[in-house]
Amino acid sequence: MSGRLIDFLLRLAPRERVLLGLLVIVLLVVGIGYGAVWPLAEERRAAREELLQSLAVDAWVLERREELAGLDQAASTVEIQDPVGASAVEQGLINRQLRSSLSRLETRDGGEIAMRFDVVPFTQFMRWLDTEHPVWGYRIEQLRIERTDRPSMVEARLTLVPAR
């Protein structure tokens, strides 16, 4: 095989050998470009997209923090009521057709109420929380919302403690 290649190259004119060498060099550079540089460029593009997404989430969190500061100021002007109890909270869930989504309702020492929703429509849950929360006489100690496989459905955990 190498003998044939040498014979082929010897039959070529010096100018043709130079052109063939340049062609081989160009092919090597292009091959290295596709083999090494292209994957690096793809990784850089993916990292840039991830950075932009992280910055968007960060901006969203800062906006929510500003909203929360406004809500805290508004909440401080609201008159604190006596806690309504777990049955009244549950009645609010029934009124909003969310009782079937409630997987656990537990009362603890000190009047604390813990609730868990395994799968609940996000908008319906947030509307219920927004309208019912001010009249409960409780403050939200813990609220955890996680998305599920299903669109617009979330898993939620909520812990309420008496406001007084």
Side-chain angles (χ1 to χ4, degrees), residues 59-99:
W60 181 84
V61 167
L62 290 175
E63 289 172 8
R64 299 297 76 77
R65 197 165 106 194
E66 290 173 8
E67 283 180 14
L68 182 61
L71 290 175
D72 285 344
Q73 290 173 353
S76 65
T77 61
V78 173
E79 181 182 322
I80 297 174
Q81 300 178 356
D82 290 331
V84 294
S87 61
V89 172
E90 186 174 17
Q91 186 60 46
L93 288 168
I94 292 169
N95 293 342
R96 291 282 184 160
Q97 288 85 33
L98 288 173
R99 179 59 181 98

Side-chain angles (χ1 to χ4, degrees), residues 71 96 123-136 140:
L71 290 175
R96 291 282 184 160
T123 53
Q124 211 174 347
F125 174 74
M126 291 309 293
R127 283 188 190 124
W128 167 76
L129 190 61
D130 187 43
T131 57
E132 299 291 322
H133 175 266
V135 297
W136 282 339
I140 298 174

